[in-house]
Amino acid sequence: MKETDLPYLKNTVSDLPLMTDDAIKDQFLSTGQIRKHKKGDLIIVAGQDSYEPSILLSGLIRVFFLNVEGVDVTNLFIFENTYYGSDFLTMKKASVCSFEALEDCVSLVLDRQVLNETLQNNIHVLLDYTRILEQSLNNKILRENALITKSATERYLDLKKTYPHIEKRVSQTHIASYLGITPVSLSRIRRVIREEN
C-alpha cells in the first residue's frame, strides 16, 4: 500500500469496529492491500474463491447464488464501510456465494494472519469482531424471518427504510431478486404504493 494512501484510509476506517485503537489500525493498514474492481466484475466466484477479510471503502457489492433451477438469487447488498466475508474473516474457506461489483469498488483487504494474531492477543478487537459476527447473524435471521412472515410489499418497504437510496444504485431486477419476487411484481408493488400516496 502506498504511504500516501494511509492518511485517507486512517480517516475512512477510524469509526469502524476493529479500527478503534490507533496502533492496531496502523498495523492493519500497513499490512493490508487496496483492491479495485470495475462494475460488473466478479470479486468472488462461488466454490472457487475463498473469502478474504475485506472492508468495502467505496462502491456497492451484490452477493448472490444460483438456486436448484439455476436462477440467480440476490442474497445481500454490501455498502460502503462494511466488512465482508464476515462469516469467514479468519478462515480460508471457499465461498458458497458469488460477489459482484454493482459499481466500481475499492476494498481494503486485511492480512488474514495479522487479523488472527490480533484477535488472539487483544480482547477489545476480539469483542469488536464478535459484535460484527453477531450483527451479521442478526441480519441473516431477520431476512429469513421476513421472507417467511412478511408480504413482498412489507419487505420492499423495509428495504427502502433501511436503504433509502437503493433504487438509485441497484437495478429493479436485483431488488426483486433480493425480495424473492419477479421484476413485474416489484413494478406492481411500486405502482400501488405511488397510487396510495
Side-chain angles (χ1 to χ4, degrees), residues 10 34 37 41 64 69 75 78 83 89 92 117 122 144 146-147 153 158 160 169 176 180 184 186 194:
K10 282 183 182 181
I34 295 293
H37 298 279
D41 284 354
F64 69 96
E69 288 89 28
N75 185 47
I78 300 170
Y83 288 91
L89 278 184
K92 190 169 176 68
E117 289 170 1
N122 187 305
E144 289 172 354
L147 286 169
T153 301
D158 287 349
K160 290 273 292 172
R169 300 180 69 183
V184 172
L186 178 57
R194 275 195 308 270

Side-chain angles (χ1 to χ4, degrees), residues 62 72 74 170-178 181-183 186:
R62 175 177 81 104
D72 173 325
T74 301
V170 177
S171 73
Q172 183 167 314
T173 302
H174 293 327
I175 291 173
S177 173
Y178 176 80
I181 59 177
T182 66
L186 178 57

Side-chain angles (χ1 to χ4, degrees), residues 36-62:
K36 297 179 180 182
H37 298 279
K38 293 285 185 195
K39 179 178 179 177
D41 284 354
L42 283 178
I43 299 169
I44 297 173
V45 177
Q48 296 178 18
D49 300 321
S50 62
Y51 284 98
E52 293 184 281
S54 303
I55 303 168
L56 183 61
L57 301 175
S58 66
L60 176 61
I61 296 171
R62 175 177 81 104

Side-chain angles (χ1 to χ4, degrees), residues 14-111:
S14 60
D15 292 332
L16 294 177
L18 308 182
M19 299 289 184
T20 53
D21 178 276
D22 285 338
I24 290 169
K25 181 183 354 179
D26 289 345
Q27 184 179 21
F28 284 152
L29 292 177
S30 65
T31 58
Q33 294 180 354
I34 295 293
R35 198 158 292 160
K36 297 179 180 182
H37 298 279
K38 293 285 185 195
K39 179 178 179 177
D41 284 354
L42 283 178
I43 299 169
I44 297 173
V45 177
Q48 296 178 18
D49 300 321
S50 62
Y51 284 98
E52 293 184 281
S54 303
I55 303 168
L56 183 61
L57 301 175
S58 66
L60 176 61
I61 296 171
R62 175 177 81 104
V63 181
F64 69 96
F65 59 88
L66 299 178
N67 68 14
V68 291
E69 288 89 28
V71 176
D72 173 325
V73 178
T74 301
N75 185 47
L76 178 68
F77 297 109
I78 300 170
F79 291 86
E80 295 91 351
N81 298 322
T82 302
Y83 288 91
Y84 61 97
S86 60
D87 46 348
F88 300 124
L89 278 184
T90 62
M91 296 166 51
K92 190 169 176 68
K93 183 173 180 179
S95 173
V96 295
C97 294
S98 294
F99 290 56
E100 175 189 14
L102 293 184
E103 300 173 350
D104 290 348
C105 293
V106 178
S107 296
L108 172 65
V109 180
L110 303 176
D111 183 289

